[in-house]
Amino acid sequence: MSDLLRALAGESVERTPVWFMRQAGRSLPEYRELRVGTRMLDACLTPDLAAEITLQPVRRHGVDAAVFFSDIVIPLRLAGVEVEIEPGRGPVFANPVRTADDVARITAIDPADLDGTAIAEAVRIVTAELGETPLIGFAGAPFTLAAYLIEGGPSKEHLRARAMMHADPESWDRLAGWLSRISRRFLEIQRDAGASVVQLFDSWAGSLSPADYRAHIAQHSHAALDGIGLPSIHFGVGTGPFLGDMRLDGGASAVGVDWRMPLDEAIAVLGPDVAVQGNIDPALLQAPWPVLEAHVRDVIARGRGAKGHILNLGHGVPPETDPDQLTRIVRLAHGEL
Ligand code: CP3
């Protein structure tokens, strides 16, 4: 079994497994070259292209896993929702979902009808080439998707989504439940085509209070992963105040930790039954290698007390990152530096 799967299962590893969120993307010149002239979501839905972009960072860095090149809004596009990704900005929806009527209209779409042919084809190309290296499939968590969908685009505090939970809790539950089934379907397509791990991204969960997370979010995220039949990683940013809840009552095999909380402190909160992933500060990728090296060694040392530790960043690779810094981190984790 690969070190990544062993770490997720709490078994001993030969070398600390490492991969990077957003490892497939703008930090790589070979990615920027391939993307010229193709819109982001069109690239995701072109199987050869998506497969090649997924494989680029594995070849270059020797990471312990590939993460499928796609986006959290792809299953919505496949469900017929009008969405684009604006460069430098993020997902933008033509018709924001704000009223009870909007919610009723969008949730009438049956997630089972989503056409996963292009995704399945890309995943099959990738896994055939990867051999023993695992492919991580992923999806957006209901809250992070709702934060974009209700607002209609990126926002700072996700006020409209948090407001709906309280102003119209019934519509909120209907929408979050539907998003959970949409993301679940996306995970199933990736699983059935050969992904061997899944990660649920709740990037914006940190804007929630612990009470709101527990009352309005946790059950929907749990449903997206429950019974998926693969090891799972549950990631959020700024979730320190409710980190224990990110375990989803045992529904997650590992919890992703951002850079704000020292990993040993996160492990003390999370307990012995769950693995951890993280938590190199993305800002330190800009520092001279000796500074970054000391930080990475510290993260690895603090991770030793966990049931299992997957080395990663506390959030995604910033586009301006020198890719050689990432390769050095992999070599360090593998005991080659
Ligand atoms: O390497 C990987 O991690 C796999 C691919 C991946 C992408 N998006 C590719 C992408 C993954 C896992 C995602 C998930 C995603 N998408 C999240 C959760 C992860 C996180 O970073 O918090 C979120 C919030 C989104 C929504 C989204 N899509 C944003 C905010 C952006 C950036 C917009 C910009 O231009 O700054 C995107 C676009 C996107 N998704 C890019 C990539 C490589 C950049 C597109 C480009 O190259 O122009």
Side-chain angles (χ1 to χ4, degrees), residues 162-179:
R162 292 189 297 110
M164 189 190 282
M165 285 170 210
H166 299 280
D168 184 356
E170 248 175 65
S171 292
W172 167 261
D173 268 330
R174 185 172 306 154
L175 182 63
W178 181 77
L179 288 168

Side-chain angles (χ1 to χ4, degrees), residues 167-207:
D168 184 356
E170 248 175 65
S171 292
W172 167 261
D173 268 330
R174 185 172 306 154
L175 182 63
W178 181 77
L179 288 168
S180 157
R181 291 191 297 281
I182 284 279
S183 280
R184 170 51 169 260
R185 175 92 183 98
F186 189 44
L187 294 177
E188 286 170 352
I189 293 164
Q190 296 169 78
R191 175 198 65 191
D192 294 346
S196 46
V197 177
V198 293
Q199 174 158 324
L200 195 66
F201 280 94
D202 209 350
S203 304
W204 311 137
S207 70

Side-chain angles (χ1 to χ4, degrees), residues 32-78:
R32 296 195 297 267
E33 197 178 307
L34 269 189
R35 276 290 318 285
V36 171
T38 311
R39 301 207 66 160
M40 172 64 193
L41 297 183
D42 295 334
C44 294
L45 295 173
T46 308
D48 289 345
L49 193 53
E52 178 58 23
I53 293 172
T54 303
L55 292 163
Q56 285 177 340
V58 182
R59 294 190 196 114
R60 180 191 267 261
H61 303 305
V63 279
D64 291 273
V67 56
F68 185 52
F69 176 77
S70 196
D71 198 84
I72 57 171
V73 299
I74 279 287
L76 289 167
R77 162 72 79 94
L78 293 175

Side-chain angles (χ1 to χ4, degrees), residues 287-295 325:
W289 171 245
V291 176
L292 175 58
E293 176 183 4
H295 175 58
Q325 294 279 70

Side-chain angles (χ1 to χ4, degrees), residues 164-283:
M164 189 190 282
M165 285 170 210
H166 299 280
D168 184 356
E170 248 175 65
S171 292
W172 167 261
D173 268 330
R174 185 172 306 154
L175 182 63
W178 181 77
L179 288 168
S180 157
R181 291 191 297 281
I182 284 279
S183 280
R184 170 51 169 260
R185 175 92 183 98
F186 189 44
L187 294 177
E188 286 170 352
I189 293 164
Q190 296 169 78
R191 175 198 65 191
D192 294 346
S196 46
V197 177
V198 293
Q199 174 158 324
L200 195 66
F201 280 94
D202 209 350
S203 304
W204 311 137
S207 70
L208 294 157
S209 68
D212 278 352
Y213 188 82
R214 282 168 203 143
H216 300 289
I217 308 298
Q219 77 266 30
H220 298 296
S221 293
H222 190 271
L225 290 177
D226 195 31
I228 188 76
L230 293 179
S232 60
I233 304 164
H234 187 206
F235 169 78
V237 179
T239 56
F242 50 91
L243 193 66
D245 296 278
M246 295 292 284
R247 295 166 58 256
L248 298 174
D249 289 323
S253 321
V255 169
V257 179
D258 81 4
W259 66 93
R260 291 177 181 89
M261 200 186 216
L263 207 49
D264 50 335
E265 286 178 30
I267 292 162
V269 171
L270 288 164
D273 297 332
V274 70
V276 296
Q277 174 172 282
N279 69 345
I280 298 167
D281 185 343

